[in-house]
Amino acid sequence: MFAPAVKTEAKLRLAFTGPAGGGKTYSALSVGTSLVPGGKVALLDTEHGSASKYADIFQFDTVAMEQPFHPDRYIEVINAAAKAGYDVLIIDSMSHAWTGTGGLLDVVNEIARARYQGNTFAAWKDGTPIQNRLVEAILSAPLHIIATMRSKTEYSLAKDEKGKSKPEKIGTAPIQRDGFEYEYDVIIDLGIDNMGVVNKTRCPALTGKVIDKPGEKLAATLRDWLHGAPPPAMKQFT
């Protein structure tokens, strides 16, 4: 019935979270284009073409998505990238699938009006399977996926080098469904200074790390961690 566990080759699920200006898109491209040397990288752009401003630095293909940002449209892009043989798909940004026009919050509100007399709590009975489809598509895709997620922005007072107080922009929870970010292998919170704090990781080498401008070195660490043996034949439980 049971067989010895074996660490096998795996596909990366990495999320960069943080406020605007934290370098999420740049970091995702820097890691994504370094992860598979000579590989093909695709990017889903929901940010009005902003990622293409880095096309003189990184080599990647892009597809733009305008509203509506229904989660099923994200699934279509994931499947298309896999079918086209891309090694890495960057999703910039995943937050639109939640709060964007036509994203899941809008979908649930529409379902509530149409089926449940405006009761959004009841409408989540229909909305949750849509979110689950998106999660399953991300987890099962046969390519590396790197996603960016905006964080709600707050300000705190910090001391500068002269000891004077100054406002500092910080990110809090990522803008997606609660707990969504924990579907990923590695979560890195980026601050306005482009410093990445590893919030959660399955890669032991990254535990507790603070990374200045995530890029090639992080990609090499992740590539080594993802390496493993071919998967053995699984015994089925019946």
Side-chain angles (χ1 to χ4, degrees), residues 146-211:
I146 301 174
T148 69
M149 286 181 274
R150 298 175 179 178
S151 291
K152 300 168 186 176
T153 303
E154 294 182 356
Y155 289 86
S156 65
L157 287 177
K159 300 287 186 181
D160 63 17
E161 62 277 3
K162 296 180 180 179
K164 294 183 178 180
S165 295
K166 64 175 182 177
E168 183 177 82
K169 183 162 59 173
I170 59 173
T172 55
I175 299 174
Q176 246 292 339
R177 190 168 190 178
D178 287 347
F180 175 80
E181 68 272 24
Y182 292 104
E183 301 291 348
Y184 293 81
D185 297 316
V186 180
I187 306 164
I188 297 178
D189 296 332
L190 287 166
I192 200 66
D193 55 359
N194 303 134
M195 295 291 288
V197 177
V198 179
N199 181 283
K200 174 247 182 177
T201 180
R202 294 188 176 105
C203 173
L206 296 178
T207 301
K209 296 294 184 181
V210 177
I211 304 169

Side-chain angles (χ1 to χ4, degrees), residues 7 31 59 66 73 87 91 117 124 127 157 160 195 201 205 221 228 231:
K7 185 176 185 294
V31 174
Q59 184 173 350
E66 301 294 338
R73 299 187 67 206
D87 299 289
I91 302 175
Q117 294 80 48
W124 278 107
L157 287 177
D160 63 17
M195 295 291 288
T201 180
T221 299

Side-chain angles (χ1 to χ4, degrees), residues 74-127:
Y74 281 72
I75 295 172
E76 290 175 12
V77 173
I78 293 170
N79 291 338
K83 185 176 180 180
Y86 284 98
D87 299 289
V88 181
L89 173 63
I90 298 169
I91 302 175
D92 184 39
S93 144
M94 187 63 75
S95 293
H96 285 89
W98 181 248
T99 59
T101 301
L104 191 57
L105 292 182
D106 277 357
V107 171
V108 168
N109 285 334
E110 292 173 5
I111 292 171
R113 287 192 294 269
R115 304 179 189 174
Y116 299 102
Q117 294 80 48
N119 186 336
T120 55
F121 181 82
W124 278 107
K125 177 182 178 182
D126 303 289

Side-chain angles (χ1 to χ4, degrees), residues 128-142:
T128 294
I130 298 173
Q131 179 78 355
N132 290 345
R133 285 201 300 268
L134 177 58
V135 171
E136 179 59 26
I138 292 168
L139 296 181
S140 63

